[in-house]
Every structure is written in C-alpha cells, then in structure tokens.
Amino acid sequence: AVFKATTDDLFEPKEKHVVAVARWSCEPELQEQVASALAKRVSTCGARPVTTAKTLFLLHRVATTGEPEAVLGPSVAELRSLVERRSLPAAELAYAPYIVGLCEWDDCNLFRRPDAPACWRGMPLPAVLEGLRPLQALAEQALELALDASEVTTPAVAALRLAVAEDAFAMFLCETAGAAVLQDGLLAAPLALVNLRPGGLLEALRASNRHAEDALMLQEALGSWRGGSGPLADLPHLDSVLKEGLPWSGSRARVALATTASASAAAAAVMSGSVPPPTPPAARSDPTAASPTASPPADRPHSPSPPLSASAPPDGSPDDGGARPPLLRLAPTDVKI
C-alpha cells in the first residue's frame, strides 16, 4: 500500500491506499512493516518530484491520523537528511521541513480533533505558553506554505498544499483558543511572564493576531482555488474543506463552542457579583411568585447550598487542584482515518 500510494504518475495519491497505511500504523502487529516500508520509500523518492510529493503527503496523513510515534521515526530521520543535503526537487523541498517538524511534534495526531481547542481550559498561563510555542511555530509555516503564490503544476503537490491548508486552519483554531486564555489572564499574570523575550505572553498574543489575518487571507484564497483552473481547482476534497473546514464558516460546532464560552463567562460574572443573576422565567411571569429572599416553607426544612469550594468543576471533571495533562494529550479514540 505504501508504494501504491506513492506511484510515479500524475494523479494525486489514491485515498484508499493512504487510508490503509494510516490505519495499519495503529495496529501493533503491522507497525514494524509500515515503518520499514515508509523509510524505504522516503530514501528512494528524491529523484522523482511526483513520488516525492506523494510520499510527503503520505507521511503527513500518518502523522495527523495514524500512530506516528510508532512508525515515523526512521522516515523522519531519512527525510531530515534529504533536506539537509537539499536532495529533493525544489517545489517539494519547500514542504519537507514542515513535514519533519509536524511529525516530530508530540501532538501531531491530536490537533485536528474537534475537541482540541478546549484543551487549554483550566491550564495555568505558563503551561499555555509552553504549549503554544510549537503550535504557533508550525502554524506560521503552514500558513506560509498554504498562501504560497507559486504555481501548482501537479495534482500531488495540489493535494499536499490543501492538506497543509487544513493544518493551518486547525492550528489556528487551537491557537486562538489558547490565546483567549492568555488574554483573559493578562492583567493577573506576572510582569516577567508578560514581557518575556522571547516566548512571553505579549509575543504569543501578537503572533495569534498575525495568524488571524493570514488565516482570513487563506480562507479567501481557497474560494479562488475552486473558481480557478489547474490541479488545485480539480481537487475532490476541496469542496469538503470549503463547506466544513473554514474557520469563519458558522458551523454548528463552532457556534456551540462560542455559546458555551459565553455562558461560562456569564456564570463567572454572576459568581463574582459583578452581574446580578438572571431572574427565573417563572418569577418574571408570575407577580405572586415568592421572593428569592423569602424564608422556606415551614413544612420543608431549609438545606443550605454547599460552599463553592466543595462543588465539582463545571465540566464534570474531578477537582485536581488545577493540574491538567500536557497540551492536547487526549486519548485518540475518535481520530478519523
């Protein structure tokens, strides 16, 4: 399947073979064979541009939907060597360093998950900053590659560019959620953390704003791909990205996420006393309803509410004192291959 997915023809990689390799990378009894076949293909792909593009696309798919830690080590080492020797065709050489960095990132197979932007919730600011650094570095590369104005001449490179564009959007959504946590804690953060150079809180916020502008440009560019001509316009998967994969698409998932965030902010404001709690509908419609301060009925003993410190966290997770797992370290049980 590795060699069938990377044949030296002018078509884009065949999806059934790419999916098969990614799925087999998750099966322990096949991982050694997959790792060997991938490394062998990387070592022999440099002389043929089409094969090189398809091989990079295959590595990308395994990294983002498979089990990269188990199978990609030898391939990444070989690819890094090819990059250092500049032994790849020019167009494909531009993508190779990004693929190397993506494959070596601990969270490469998790950042595309729908629940990935929520990973920052409850994390302390230093941990958010630490998690954002590799994410923002890769997002910078992905946005630059996806916005490249050079002409795409083969379907294989077109498929690779679209895959990187999808990465850019997914990374941007995760980054934006992390930046929102930083912005929320900006005034309470230590000054040394705010103004740290490099890698401080303000630098992370500036990078997030810059990437927002690039992501918007990329979203507009993808629309022009469909209306243009050439390999980019002919990609079958482009319609799916335009329909479901854009940051500013108004999809139900993102609307729900925004609604949840707004509700959480409103609840925090009520608990802090800065905003009065809303009046229940029954109390608004019934002028004879009992006042919130009225005493409980005599035949029903009053049970005081437990203190806030004893209540469970709003997300239902156990109260662990604020500790959270590293960025995006979620069990990849629902990753689509």
Side-chain angles (χ1 to χ4, degrees):
V2 169
F3 289 92
K4 289 180 179 179
T6 57
T7 53
D8 191 15
D9 56 45
L10 294 180
F11 301 102
E12 64 179 292
K14 290 185 178 180
E15 185 68 10
K16 67 177 182 178
H17 299 312
V18 174
V19 169
V21 175
R23 182 173 63 247
W24 293 338
S25 75
C26 300
E27 300 180 12
E29 66 275 13
L30 298 176
Q31 287 172 344
E32 184 176 350
Q33 298 177 46
V34 172
S36 176
L38 285 172
K40 183 177 180 181
R41 197 49 163 163
V42 171
S43 67
T44 60
C45 73
R48 300 184 296 277
V50 172
T51 302
T52 301
K54 291 183 179 183
T55 302
L56 293 177
F57 181 88
L58 182 59
L59 293 178
H60 173 275
R61 181 67 69 86
V62 173
T64 54
T65 67
E67 194 60 47
E69 294 180 359
V71 300
L72 289 186
S75 300
V76 171
E78 184 66 35
L79 183 59
R80 181 183 292 278
S81 175
L82 292 174
V83 171
E84 292 173 352
R85 301 197 310 265
R86 303 188 67 83
S87 301
L88 297 172
E92 290 72 20
L93 182 61
Y95 291 90
Y98 168 75
I99 298 298
V100 170
L102 178 70
C103 293
E104 291 180 337
W105 184 33
D106 289 341
D107 299 311
C108 62
N109 62 340
L110 300 174
F111 73 97
R112 285 193 177 206
R113 289 178 48 153
D115 57 351
C119 70
W120 312 102
R121 184 174 53 195
M123 291 177 64
L125 293 186
V128 175
L129 274 175
E130 183 178 355
L132 274 175
R133 289 185 187 113
L135 174 62
Q136 288 188 316
L138 285 168
E140 184 97 17
Q141 289 180 273
L143 286 163
E144 182 179 351
L145 288 169
L147 286 168
D148 185 8
S150 61
E151 183 181 4
V152 175
T153 57
T154 66
V157 174
L160 183 58
R161 181 171 294 187
L162 182 59
V164 173
E166 290 185 88
D167 284 356
F169 287 146
M171 291 175 183
F172 167 67
L173 291 175
C174 289
E175 175 187 8
T176 300
V181 174
L182 296 183
Q183 186 70 57
D184 199 39
L186 177 62
L187 294 181
L191 184 59
L193 189 65
V194 172
N195 204 35
L196 180 66
R197 304 285 180 85
L201 196 149
L202 286 181
E203 279 195 354
L205 291 176
R206 291 191 194 102
S208 178
N209 290 335
R210 186 173 66 252
H211 294 165
E213 296 179 3
D214 291 342
L216 182 57
M217 290 175 57
L218 179 58
Q219 177 165 321
E220 295 170 348
L222 257 63
S224 68
W225 291 6
R226 171 53 72 213
S229 60
L232 288 172
D234 297 333
L235 288 171
H237 185 52
L238 179 57
D239 287 334
S240 175
V241 176
L242 291 173
K243 183 179 179 181
E244 302 175 0
L246 301 179
W248 291 274
S249 63
S251 68
R252 292 182 181 179
R254 295 190 181 96
V255 170
L257 183 62
T259 303
T260 302
S262 299
S264 300
V270 169
M271 293 174 65
S272 67
S274 59
V275 176
T279 305
R284 289 198 298 267
S285 59
D286 185 3
T288 63
S291 166
T293 58
S295 302
D299 58 346
R300 187 173 66 195
H302 175 61
S303 299
S305 302
L308 290 177
S309 60
S311 61
D315 60 356
S317 59
D319 187 1
D320 56 3
R324 290 296 187 275
L327 169 64
L328 301 184
R329 283 289 100 186
L330 307 170
T333 56
D334 60 349
V335 177
K336 296 180 180 180
I337 296 180

